[in-house]
Amino acid sequence: MVAIIYSKPLCPYCEMAKKLLEKEKVTYKELTIGIDISKEKAFEELDTTFTTVPQIVIDGIHIGGYTELVGFFKRLQQQNGEPK
């Protein structure tokens, strides 16, 4: 799995998302809005608008924010027969 995380500086949910990706051993590229990428370009890349960060894409699929990322990994564990 490879992820892209669209973030902003000093964002606690961005930090939690990065830690979760690291825990799950997912390689990620971070794009900081306003530094690495404009908000408009991020909208274009995600083919949607958003008002919160982080926004996470895994293997080309837009997952959403931190809460959606947690749910994504829980569903993945359940599919693999791992305990909750």
Side-chain angles (χ1 to χ4, degrees):
M1 272 189 264
V2 178
I4 299 171
I5 179 167
Y6 296 84
S7 68
K8 282 188 148 185
L10 305 174
C11 165
Y13 285 97
C14 299
E15 293 303 316
M16 291 189 309
K18 290 186 281 187
K19 285 180 182 170
L20 181 56
L21 290 169
E22 289 165 5
K23 178 181 171 248
E24 297 293 335
K25 297 181 177 23
V26 175
T27 303
Y28 67 88
K29 175 181 177 182
E30 181 177 10
L31 295 174
T32 305
I33 294 172
I35 297 173
D36 301 314
I37 189 169
S38 70
K39 196 171 192 180
E40 294 74 24
K41 181 68 176 164
F43 289 165
E44 185 181 311
E45 287 185 6
L46 293 172
D47 196 27
T48 188
T49 59
F50 55 87
T51 56
T52 61
V53 288
Q55 291 296 313
I56 301 146
V57 175
I58 296 180
D59 292 339
I61 299 167
H62 183 212
I63 302 300
Y66 175 74
T67 303
E68 292 80 14
L69 182 65
V70 170
F72 171 81
F73 283 121
K74 281 184 181 176
R75 286 188 302 278
L76 199 61
Q77 288 173 347
Q78 289 171 346
Q79 288 172 1
N80 292 334
E82 297 175 26
K84 294 181 186 176

